[in-house]
PDB file of all heavy atoms in Angstrom:
ATOM      1  N   ILE A 369      16.762   9.786  30.203  1.00  0.00           N
ATOM      2  CA  ILE A 369      16.293   9.149  31.427  1.00  0.00           C
ATOM      3  C   ILE A 369      17.482   8.908  32.351  1.00  0.00           C
ATOM      4  O   ILE A 369      18.624   8.791  31.901  1.00  0.00           O
ATOM      5  CB  ILE A 369      15.531   7.825  31.150  1.00  0.00           C
ATOM      6  CG1 ILE A 369      16.432   6.777  30.510  1.00  0.00           C
ATOM      7  CG2 ILE A 369      14.308   8.086  30.298  1.00  0.00           C
ATOM      8  CD1 ILE A 369      15.781   5.412  30.390  1.00  0.00           C
ATOM      9  N   SER A 370      17.210   8.815  33.635  1.00  0.00           N
ATOM     10  CA  SER A 370      18.269   8.547  34.609  1.00  0.00           C
ATOM     11  C   SER A 370      18.604   7.059  34.600  1.00  0.00           C
ATOM     12  O   SER A 370      17.852   6.235  34.065  1.00  0.00           O
ATOM     13  CB  SER A 370      17.812   8.973  36.009  1.00  0.00           C
ATOM     14  OG  SER A 370      16.762   8.116  36.448  1.00  0.00           O
ATOM     15  N   LEU A 371      19.724   6.712  35.207  1.00  0.00           N
ATOM     16  CA  LEU A 371      20.126   5.311  35.300  1.00  0.00           C
ATOM     17  C   LEU A 371      19.101   4.505  36.096  1.00  0.00           C
ATOM     18  O   LEU A 371      18.763   3.377  35.735  1.00  0.00           O
ATOM     19  CB  LEU A 371      21.516   5.199  35.933  1.00  0.00           C
ATOM     20  CG  LEU A 371      22.152   3.818  35.955  1.00  0.00           C
ATOM     21  CD1 LEU A 371      22.306   3.262  34.547  1.00  0.00           C
ATOM     22  CD2 LEU A 371      23.506   3.863  36.656  1.00  0.00           C
ATOM     23  N   LEU A 372      18.550   5.100  37.137  1.00  0.00           N
ATOM     24  CA  LEU A 372      17.520   4.431  37.943  1.00  0.00           C
ATOM     25  C   LEU A 372      16.273   4.153  37.106  1.00  0.00           C
ATOM     26  O   LEU A 372      15.693   3.066  37.183  1.00  0.00           O
ATOM     27  CB  LEU A 372      17.175   5.285  39.167  1.00  0.00           C
ATOM     28  CG  LEU A 372      16.221   4.667  40.175  1.00  0.00           C
ATOM     29  CD1 LEU A 372      16.815   3.396  40.765  1.00  0.00           C
ATOM     30  CD2 LEU A 372      15.905   5.655  41.280  1.00  0.00           C
ATOM     31  N   MET A 373      15.860   5.131  36.308  1.00  0.00           N
ATOM     32  CA  MET A 373      14.702   4.932  35.424  1.00  0.00           C
ATOM     33  C   MET A 373      14.996   3.849  34.384  1.00  0.00           C
ATOM     34  O   MET A 373      14.117   3.059  34.040  1.00  0.00           O
ATOM     35  CB  MET A 373      14.338   6.244  34.722  1.00  0.00           C
ATOM     36  CG  MET A 373      13.745   7.292  35.626  1.00  0.00           C
ATOM     37  SD  MET A 373      13.580   8.898  34.818  1.00  0.00           S
ATOM     38  CE  MET A 373      12.235   8.570  33.707  1.00  0.00           C
ATOM     39  N   ALA A 374      16.232   3.819  33.895  1.00  0.00           N
ATOM     40  CA  ALA A 374      16.612   2.803  32.909  1.00  0.00           C
ATOM     41  C   ALA A 374      16.553   1.409  33.517  1.00  0.00           C
ATOM     42  O   ALA A 374      16.115   0.453  32.867  1.00  0.00           O
ATOM     43  CB  ALA A 374      18.004   3.093  32.367  1.00  0.00           C
ATOM     44  N   TYR A 375      16.977   1.280  34.788  1.00  0.00           N
ATOM     45  CA  TYR A 375      16.879  -0.019  35.463  1.00  0.00           C
ATOM     46  C   TYR A 375      15.422  -0.414  35.696  1.00  0.00           C
ATOM     47  O   TYR A 375      15.052  -1.569  35.491  1.00  0.00           O
ATOM     48  CB  TYR A 375      17.648  -0.019  36.786  1.00  0.00           C
ATOM     49  CG  TYR A 375      19.079  -0.433  36.614  1.00  0.00           C
ATOM     50  CD1 TYR A 375      20.102   0.475  36.770  1.00  0.00           C
ATOM     51  CD2 TYR A 375      19.407  -1.743  36.278  1.00  0.00           C
ATOM     52  CE1 TYR A 375      21.424   0.103  36.601  1.00  0.00           C
ATOM     53  CE2 TYR A 375      20.720  -2.129  36.108  1.00  0.00           C
ATOM     54  CZ  TYR A 375      21.724  -1.198  36.265  1.00  0.00           C
ATOM     55  OH  TYR A 375      23.020  -1.578  36.095  1.00  0.00           O
ATOM     56  N   ALA A 376      14.595   0.536  36.111  1.00  0.00           N
ATOM     57  CA  ALA A 376      13.172   0.235  36.307  1.00  0.00           C
ATOM     58  C   ALA A 376      12.552  -0.235  34.995  1.00  0.00           C
ATOM     59  O   ALA A 376      11.795  -1.211  34.950  1.00  0.00           O
ATOM     60  CB  ALA A 376      12.444   1.472  36.830  1.00  0.00           C
ATOM     61  N   ARG A 377      12.914   0.429  33.912  1.00  0.00           N
ATOM     62  CA  ARG A 377      12.387   0.088  32.589  1.00  0.00           C
ATOM     63  C   ARG A 377      12.801  -1.314  32.174  1.00  0.00           C
ATOM     64  O   ARG A 377      11.979  -2.106  31.722  1.00  0.00           O
ATOM     65  CB  ARG A 377      12.911   1.132  31.596  1.00  0.00           C
ATOM     66  CG  ARG A 377      12.346   1.045  30.224  1.00  0.00           C
ATOM     67  CD  ARG A 377      12.868   2.222  29.382  1.00  0.00           C
ATOM     68  NE  ARG A 377      12.242   2.168  28.073  1.00  0.00           N
ATOM     69  CZ  ARG A 377      12.703   1.437  27.068  1.00  0.00           C
ATOM     70  NH1 ARG A 377      13.795   0.722  27.215  1.00  0.00           N
ATOM     71  NH2 ARG A 377      12.065   1.423  25.921  1.00  0.00           N
ATOM     72  N   ILE A 378      14.070  -1.675  32.349  1.00  0.00           N
ATOM     73  CA  ILE A 378      14.560  -2.977  31.916  1.00  0.00           C
ATOM     74  C   ILE A 378      14.028  -4.102  32.816  1.00  0.00           C
ATOM     75  O   ILE A 378      13.768  -5.206  32.343  1.00  0.00           O
ATOM     76  CB  ILE A 378      16.103  -2.999  31.817  1.00  0.00           C
ATOM     77  CG1 ILE A 378      16.594  -4.228  31.054  1.00  0.00           C
ATOM     78  CG2 ILE A 378      16.760  -2.978  33.165  1.00  0.00           C
ATOM     79  CD1 ILE A 378      16.331  -4.196  29.603  1.00  0.00           C
TER      80      ILE A 378
END
Side-chain angles (χ1 to χ4, degrees):
I369 63 172
S370 68
L371 187 59
L372 186 61
M373 290 171 72
Y375 271 110
R377 187 175 184 275
I378 194 72

